[in-house]
Amino acid sequence: DTGVSQDPRHKITKRGQNVTFRCDPISEHNRLYWYRQTLGQGPEFLTYFQNEAQLEKSRLLSDRFSAERPKGSFSTLEIQRTEQGDSAMYLCASSDTGTGLIYEQYFGPGTRLTVT
Amino acid sequence: AQSVAQPEDQVNVAEGNPLTVKCTYSVSGNPYLFWYVQYPNRGLQFLLKYITGDNLVKGSYGFEAEFNKSQTSFHLKKPSALVSDSALYFCAVRDMNYGGSQGNLIFGKGTKLSVKP
């Protein structure tokens, strides 16, 4: 396992369409995070999972966004009825866990979404 | 509110010279701080982190960072810059508002480092 992978790398869609992105974390990592990055900004947190449980969601995650991690391995992020403001790079990250320990997050290459 | 600031949009350095990329933070409680680097069309790569202990943290690719609690800063440094260090650098702090021991990160806006030959 060489790292976090994301698919697709690029997605162009028309406004109003639904899109789904996939993230495969580092295999032994229990935690999985989704972030969104727009041009000239740092990544902004969207949501994270520990195993299959979605533990936190940002206010940025409107009701058009949904994320799943059904078996505690890969995760999907779906955006329904896309809007031009959804155009961004969507980053996935994973990390290990341990009581009292602070682990760094490892990021995938991202999925660049363009809504026309 | 918790936040991270990177006051410089761009830092220009000549190859072989020392470099510093600045970061200041605002959190409640003890900060957990990170530096990441982003190359074009690639994801963020972890460089180093400060959790506790020695204020000087050493990381990947010869980078180090100095934690200064009184100045609430965590500046990234390298004694001798390489052209290949040219990239976008992000400082981040773990969000203390969320529960659990592995919260999400709050990132700065990034600093573009340009190293000229």
Side-chain angles (χ1 to χ4, degrees):
Chain A
D1 193 312
T2 56
V4 179
S5 61
Q6 293 186 245
D7 184 70
R9 294 290 302 275
H10 304 273
K11 179 70 177 178
I12 300 174
T13 190
K14 292 184 178 180
R15 186 179 55 172
Q17 299 294 307
N18 299 342
V19 294
T20 299
F21 311 140
R22 177 181 171 123
C23 170
D24 287 89
I26 293 172
S27 59
E28 62 268 26
H29 285 179
N30 294 330
R31 294 232 174 176
L32 186 148
Y33 305 79
W34 285 99
Y35 292 82
R36 181 171 66 186
Q37 184 179 18
T38 54
L39 196 63
Q41 302 294 321
E44 295 175 295
F45 168 72
L46 293 178
T47 188
Y48 87 80
F49 294 82
Q50 174 147 339
N51 299 314
E52 67 275 8
Q54 188 173 18
L55 297 185
E56 295 289 353
K57 291 194 290 186
S58 163
R59 290 185 301 275
L60 292 175
L61 210 68
S62 76
D63 56 5
R64 296 184 298 105
F65 287 70
S66 63
E68 294 183 341
R69 195 182 183 197
K71 297 182 179 179
S73 56
F74 73 91
S75 175
T76 58
L77 178 68
E78 180 183 18
I79 309 174
Q80 296 182 328
R81 305 180 304 281
T82 53
E83 302 173 355
Q84 287 188 322
D86 297 331
S87 295
M89 177 75 85
Y90 289 85
L91 297 169
C92 177
S94 69
S95 74
D96 206 342
T97 57
T99 302
L101 300 175
I102 306 298
Y103 289 92
E104 58 272 18
Q105 296 173 25
Y106 291 90
F107 284 79
T111 295
R112 182 170 295 283
L113 173 66
T114 302
V115 182
T116 62
Chain B
Q2 300 177 102
S3 63
V4 172
Q6 293 182 242
E8 302 155 316
D9 290 336
Q10 181 155 347
V11 170
N12 298 313
V13 177
E15 187 175 31
N17 283 0
L19 70 87
T20 298
V21 182
K22 295 180 180 178
C23 172
T24 59
Y25 65 89
S26 174
V27 299
S28 55
N30 294 322
Y32 301 130
L33 296 157
F34 302 80
W35 275 101
Y36 285 83
V37 60
Q38 187 174 38
Y39 296 98
N41 300 316
R42 296 178 66 179
L44 283 80
Q45 295 180 32
F46 169 74
L47 283 178
L48 50 81
K49 66 183 177 184
Y50 172 81
I51 305 302
T52 187
D54 194 350
N55 289 342
L56 186 64
V57 179
K58 294 189 181 297
S60 305
Y61 314 120
F63 284 93
E64 58 190 25
E66 186 171 10
F67 172 68
N68 187 316
K69 187 172 184 178
S70 63
Q71 297 185 5
T72 62
S73 67
F74 188 54
H75 300 333
L76 182 70
K77 300 181 179 184
K78 188 173 183 180
S80 179
L82 300 172
V83 172
S84 58
D85 292 331
S86 298
L88 195 54
Y89 290 80
F90 290 95
C91 181
V93 65
R94 189 168 74 83
D95 191 343
M96 307 299 283
N97 282 333
Y98 288 102
S101 61
Q102 301 292 330
N104 58 287
L105 298 175
I106 298 171
F107 286 86
K109 291 186 176 182
T111 298
K112 182 179 180 181
L113 174 66
S114 178
V115 182
K116 300 296 185 185

